[in-house]
Amino acid sequence: MVTKDTVSIDVHKTSHSRISELDFNNISFGKQFSDHMFMADFKNNQWGDAQIVPYGPVMMSPSTSALHYGQAIFEGMKAYKNDKGEVLLFRPLDNHKRINISAERMCMPAIPQEYFLEGLKQLIKMDEAWIPTAPGASLYIRPFIIGTDEFIGVKPSDTYRFYIFTSPAGVYYNKPVKVLVETSFIRAVEGGVGYVKASGNYGRSLFPTKLAQQRGYDQIIWTDARNHRYLEESGTMNLMFVIDDVLITAPLGDTILAGITRDSVLTLARDWKMKVQERKISIDEVIDAHKKGTLDEAFGTGTAATIAPISQIGFEGKDYILPDTKGRIFSNRVAQELENIRKGRAADIHNWMYKI
Ligand code: COI
């Protein structure tokens, strides 16, 4: 039993590490999972029963409420080893804040900071050997909460489980992405849940994305639900453009996830005295800039994808080819700076790295 702050975590170590199954020279995203996972349960209106156990299947009743009505939220975050071999999390307190924003919207209990952070710290310390150190690689961390009542009436669950597991991760996209502007299906509406990390937001994206992929694109750009003119997010990422040296991205609101990578990129751009605009941007404006030759860069930002350059935008039967990604000044610089901060090679002036 390990006690820290107010959380007592029961630790059951695996008797057989699976780390020898991991090829550190060939890591893809989301396929292999580290040795342990963290769990805590909410019942009688409080969180408790914190434990770390070997990663593996969990028993669940078929009537578990989350499986039916989608009371399921998650986070994506990453741990790194810097050049000194220290283990660091990137902005974990922001993930904690965001999971509780998701929890409120989905009528779920907030997870206290000590559970979130202590669970993370203990788990990642135990499995630190799983953190890859190759450029662009990291340990992807997946905290999530689900409603666990065995009840199929539609109401908020009275019981919940919080899990954290981790997965060594390489790059999410291994080449610049081709995107299609989606003008029939919608991801999010005003008053909806687009701004939270609810599992259903991802499930609903699969069919439109599959249709775009059948047409040769990698991802879609979601547009506003009313007019399908304003560009919102791309796949699982926030979307950014550099037009005439100005960095432009959709403003936060009901339909946009408050991405932590989004915020980090905007913060660095402002540090560098670049002009930044968080405002609506329409497909017409982007096509116009493309015609004028002022559309310098388009890219997605996200925890899993980090900075994903966009090479091509499809809209109404035409494809707009963007400038070669190698010559893109801002996105290459910001991707490198983020990697430098994570590896301890650049000053962490915003205190984003959290040593554990
Ligand atoms: C993340 O970037 O963490 C995401 O949420 C993407 C994930 C769904 C793969």
Side-chain angles (χ1 to χ4, degrees):
M1 177 90 83
V2 178
T3 307
K4 272 262 175 85
D5 299 333
T6 54
V7 187
S8 137
I9 303 178
D10 225 347
V11 177
H12 303 273
K13 257 190 126 168
T14 182
S15 56
H16 175 69
S17 171
R18 289 173 286 100
I19 197 154
S20 61
E21 293 167 19
L22 179 67
D23 175 0
F24 277 89
N25 296 314
N26 186 18
I27 301 178
S28 52
F29 182 87
K31 288 197 177 144
Q32 283 177 285
F33 304 99
S34 319
D35 281 329
H36 299 93
M37 61 185 185
F38 174 84
M39 303 191 297
D41 283 307
F42 183 86
K43 54 177 184 262
N44 302 323
N45 282 317
Q46 59 182 16
W47 287 100
D49 296 331
Q51 43 181 322
I52 291 177
V53 295
Y55 174 88
V58 284
M59 284 276 282
M60 199 177 277
S61 155
S63 62
T64 298
S65 59
L67 301 177
H68 300 271
Y69 307 124
Q71 266 194 309
I73 55 176
F74 72 96
E75 274 302 315
M77 49 197 300
K78 283 179 170 172
Y80 299 85
K81 255 187 207 158
N82 67 14
D83 290 344
K84 291 192 214 149
E86 296 165 330
V87 177
L88 302 117
L89 297 166
F90 186 70
R91 303 188 66 172
L93 298 176
D94 294 287
N95 292 93
H96 174 250
K97 248 187 241 155
R98 193 170 65 181
I99 201 168
N100 283 341
I101 291 170
S102 300
E104 184 183 22
R105 178 63 179 83
M106 298 304 289
C107 220
M108 299 165 77
I111 183 84
Q113 183 171 303
E114 63 271 20
Y115 276 83
F116 190 88
L117 262 190
E118 209 47 53
L120 271 174
K121 288 199 278 191
Q122 298 278 334
L123 180 68
I124 285 152
K125 256 187 229 155
M126 275 178 77
D127 282 343
E128 78 166 78
W130 289 80
I131 304 176
T133 52
S138 60
L139 187 71
Y140 185 80
I141 305 166
R142 173 53 60 85
F144 68 107
I145 309 177
I146 56 170
T148 51
D149 277 6
E150 294 182 22
F151 179 64
I152 55 164
V154 180
K155 74 164 198 47
S157 185
D158 289 325
T159 60
Y160 294 85
R161 179 165 277 179
F162 173 54
Y163 290 92
I164 311 174
F165 66 80
T166 68
S167 172
V171 290
Y172 195 78
Y173 294 112
N174 55 14
K175 59 178 179 33
V177 288
K178 296 182 191 167
V179 294
L180 177 68
V181 177
E182 176 57 60
T183 53
S184 356
F185 295 102
I186 54 171
R187 173 185 174 275
V189 290
E190 282 156 31
V193 297
Y195 68 100
V196 303
K197 271 184 106 62
S199 306
N201 283 342
Y202 297 78
R204 71 191 296 173
S205 73
L206 301 176
F207 181 62
T209 306
K210 181 177 89 172
L211 296 183
Q213 286 168 348
Q214 283 168 351
R215 294 171 57 189
Y217 297 94
D218 301 302
Q219 267 305 340
I220 52 188
I221 289 185
W222 297 104
T223 50
D224 71 285
R226 275 183 212 278
N227 304 307
H228 291 299
R229 293 320 279 188
Y230 293 105
L231 309 178
E232 300 209 320
E233 296 189 3
S234 181
T236 63
M237 305 177 290
N238 295 109
L239 181 62
M240 299 199 180
F241 297 92
V242 178
I243 298 178
D244 243 347
D245 297 330
V246 180
L247 179 64
I248 308 169
T249 193
L252 296 181
D254 286 2
T255 62
I256 304 288
L257 185 83
I260 293 162
T261 311
R262 174 189 182 279
D263 181 73
S264 309
V265 168
L266 298 181
T267 302
L268 289 175
R270 288 183 174 117
D271 287 351
W272 298 336
K273 309 284 181 251
M274 185 169 182
K275 198 163 173 195
V276 174
Q277 296 179 345
E278 293 178 72
R279 64 160 171 88
K280 289 184 174 187
I281 176 161
S282 69
I283 183 61
D284 312 278
E285 179 179 349
V286 169
I287 291 174
D288 194 45
H290 185 269
K291 281 190 191 135
K292 286 190 193 138
T294 55
L295 175 59
D296 301 325
E297 306 188 25
F299 56 97
T301 67
T303 297
T306 57
I307 308 292
I310 291 172
S311 57
Q312 181 178 324
I313 300 176
F315 178 63
E316 290 183 344
K318 266 195 85 170
D319 283 316
Y320 300 86
I321 310 295
L322 274 75
D324 186 47
T325 55
K326 288 201 187 75
R328 298 190 188 180
I329 294 166
F330 177 72
S331 45
N332 286 324
R333 180 178 179 198
V334 86
Q336 189 58 58
E337 183 70 5
L338 285 170
E339 176 78 0
N340 289 346
I341 292 170
R342 288 161 178 155
K343 290 288 162 76
R345 297 171 198 152
D348 177 19
I349 60 171
H350 299 287
N351 293 321
W352 286 337
M353 302 313 295
Y354 184 99
K355 201 162 123 192
I356 59 174

